[in-house]
Amino acid sequence: MKVVKFAAAIAALALAATAFAACGGNSGSSSVSDTQKWADSVCTAGSELKTAATDLADAVKSPSISDIAGYKAKVAQKYSALETAVAAVDQQWSAASTINNDTTGAMQTLRKDEQALYTAWALVQTASTKVSKATSIGGAIGATTELAGAMTQTVAAASLLVQGYKDFTSSKNDQLKQAFSNASSCKALFGKK
């Protein structure tokens, strides 16, 4: 009788250990997967931000002020793309805290870079509004000069943010290191094969 009870206890213990290991294994791989999916989204948003910032900066470098309406339409189009890109970066910032501690910690590390982007973006918003309201060549030139300065800051802020993402490939946190090293959009953004 004691042998039967002992065997049943061992079987129950083995079953519990198997269930615990399976649960722990799934949780860990899910966390890595979630972190990598998030890193992929972060790098996609970062790539779109870099492109949109560069496009608007290029648009204001050599403006065709003689065609104010055409110039304003071009700036509005590039501004809209940048607005969408900044919103996508912001969405990744907001999503980080709902995924896991690794992603939350990652975004806290980048708080200063993120704030620099938002500060530059506020300047872009103000200057692009002035461009859209310009009715004279002089007004358009003044607003364009202001927008060009704001875009210089925005491009620099975007570059710092992307560098922050790249720094995660050397992180002491293994999940972040793997996620940012392995995500295809991150490899493309960082210029790695």
Side-chain angles (χ1 to χ4, degrees):
M1 189 69 146
K2 286 183 180 179
V3 173
V4 172
K5 284 183 180 179
F6 181 73
I10 293 295
L13 186 60
L15 184 61
T18 303
F20 179 78
C23 180
N26 287 342
S27 174
S29 64
S30 172
S31 180
V32 169
S33 175
D34 289 347
T35 303
Q36 184 152 339
K37 286 178 192 173
W38 176 77
D40 197 39
S41 297
V42 164
C43 289
T44 297
S47 178
E48 290 167 0
L49 175 68
K50 259 183 87 171
T51 299
T54 301
D55 286 351
L56 182 51
D58 288 346
V60 298
K61 277 182 186 171
S62 52
S64 175
I65 301 296
S66 59
D67 176 15
I68 293 176
Y71 173 65
K72 285 170 30 173
K74 182 178 180 181
V75 168
Q77 178 190 23
K78 301 297 183 185
Y79 171 86
S80 180
L82 181 57
E83 182 176 40
T84 300
V86 170
V89 168
D90 188 51
Q91 183 179 11
Q92 298 314 314
W93 173 273
S94 301
S97 62
T98 64
I99 298 171
N100 59 41
N101 289 336
D102 296 316
T103 58
T104 302
M107 293 315 283
Q108 294 304 319
T109 300
L110 296 174
R111 183 176 290 279
K112 185 178 175 184
D113 295 335
E114 195 85 17
Q115 192 55 51
L117 174 64
Y118 295 148
T119 299
W121 173 238
L123 296 174
V124 170
Q125 289 174 307
T126 300
S128 64
T129 298
K130 290 179 182 178
V131 168
S132 70
K133 291 182 178 179
T135 56
S136 68
I137 291 176
I141 290 172
T144 296
T145 301
E146 187 177 330
L147 182 54
M151 286 314 305
T152 298
Q153 280 188 260
T154 303
V155 168
S159 294
L160 283 174
L161 192 59
V162 168
Q163 182 59 50
Y165 297 160
K166 186 176 183 181
D167 289 345
F168 288 130
T169 62
S170 302
S171 176
K172 291 180 181 178
N173 180 308
D174 286 339
Q175 287 201 26
L176 288 175
K177 183 176 183 175
Q178 289 175 1
F180 280 87
S181 295
N182 296 337
S184 58
S185 65
C186 294
K187 289 178 182 180
L189 179 60
F190 307 150
K192 294 182 177 180
K193 301 281 181 184

